[in-house]
Amino acid sequence: MIDHVVLRVFIGPDGRGGNPLGVVTDGTQVPGTDERQRLAAELGYSETVFIDDASRGAVDIYTPSARLPFAGHPLVGVSWLLGERGQRVEVLRPPAGDVPTWTDGDFTWIRGRAEWASGRRTQQYASAAEVDALPAPPPGEGWLYAWAWLDEAGGRVRARAFPRRGDNIVEDEATGAAAVVLTAELGRPLTIHQGAASQILTRPQEDGWIDVGGRAAMA
């Protein structure tokens, strides 16, 4: 087994929740994309991220069935882990492009773009209860981010995420990329309560950039 660590990313304010993330801290252990994809499938986390150059922030992200150019919870998690190890960087470099990153109190933040998360469809429901009642996964095909307002005036959202890729991830506990897409569509800051107990904060910026922040910890 390749050496790796496991984090929880987008932990809720009560310390629960968070999406598990596998991190291969020395990406040279698994040099090829095919080998990385096989390992990600074997580990079975929503995403596994390979750190190719910690000093430059160069990373490579995989689900159990696909390589991703951008994903929120792996990038927040890697940024937090590098900071904990005294290797903090100001920019992460996944395939999509340069992703600024910083910390603010307990929160680790990244900045990304909705077009880097193409294929994620959002669907609004009338109430949080309707979102909670959805089967996992709901009928249909393709990536679905189901959401409803908890407090529209306050920007609080209830959400669940269903990749529906045909792999073993039936529901994502917390998804930063989908949160970027929803925030771009709504054009306002959000506090997203996703999955069983996770929390994601977002803030739209100029020129289509979206900030995504959350708490992380070792699993």
Side-chain angles (χ1 to χ4, degrees):
M1 179 64 69
I2 300 298
D3 291 337
H4 69 284
V5 298
V6 183
L7 313 181
R8 291 187 299 132
V9 184
F10 296 128
I11 295 169
D14 60 0
R16 299 186 302 121
N19 201 6
L21 172 69
V23 183
V24 178
T25 55
D26 180 7
T28 63
Q29 296 180 93
V30 191
T33 56
D34 290 344
E35 291 80 2
R36 291 180 176 191
Q37 187 64 77
R38 282 194 291 269
L39 179 62
E42 179 181 341
L43 294 176
Y45 303 116
S46 293
E47 278 101 8
T48 297
V49 59
F50 299 81
I51 301 178
D52 289 325
D53 187 334
S55 65
R56 293 187 60 252
V59 298
D60 197 16
I61 306 166
Y62 293 77
T63 74
S65 58
R67 187 185 188 207
L68 299 180
F70 171 81
H73 108 273
L75 295 175
V76 169
V78 164
S79 180
W80 175 85
L81 181 63
L82 291 176
E84 289 293 294
R85 295 186 169 195
Q87 299 173 294
R88 190 175 306 283
V89 295
E90 295 183 355
V91 178
L92 293 170
R93 293 181 169 88
D98 288 358
V99 175
T101 181
W102 65 98
T103 60
D104 183 3
D106 293 338
F107 283 78
T108 300
W109 291 83
I110 62 167
R111 182 168 291 164
R113 304 186 66 83
E115 56 262 35
W116 291 350
S118 61
R120 289 166 174 82
R121 180 174 67 86
T122 68
Q123 182 173 335
Q124 183 178 4
Y125 288 77
S127 69
E130 289 189 14
V131 173
D132 291 340
L134 291 171
E141 298 180 355
W143 225 106
L144 175 66
Y145 200 49
W147 70 279
W149 289 114
L150 288 168
D151 174 6
E152 185 170 0
R156 293 176 58 241
V157 165
R158 172 67 175 134
R160 294 173 67 191
F162 305 102
R164 297 192 298 193
R165 291 183 298 252
D167 57 28
N168 65 318
I169 306 301
V170 174
E171 180 173 354
D172 257 335
E173 172 63 23
T175 53
V180 166
V181 172
L182 181 62
T183 304
E185 291 176 354
L186 297 178
R188 57 180 294 186
L190 300 175
T191 299
I192 300 172
H193 302 271
Q194 187 177 322
S198 299
Q199 183 186 64
I200 305 166
L201 303 187
T202 66
R203 302 183 301 217
Q205 302 295 337
E206 294 181 353
D207 299 324
W209 292 96
I210 307 292
D211 296 348
V212 182
R215 305 174 185 85
M218 300 299 295

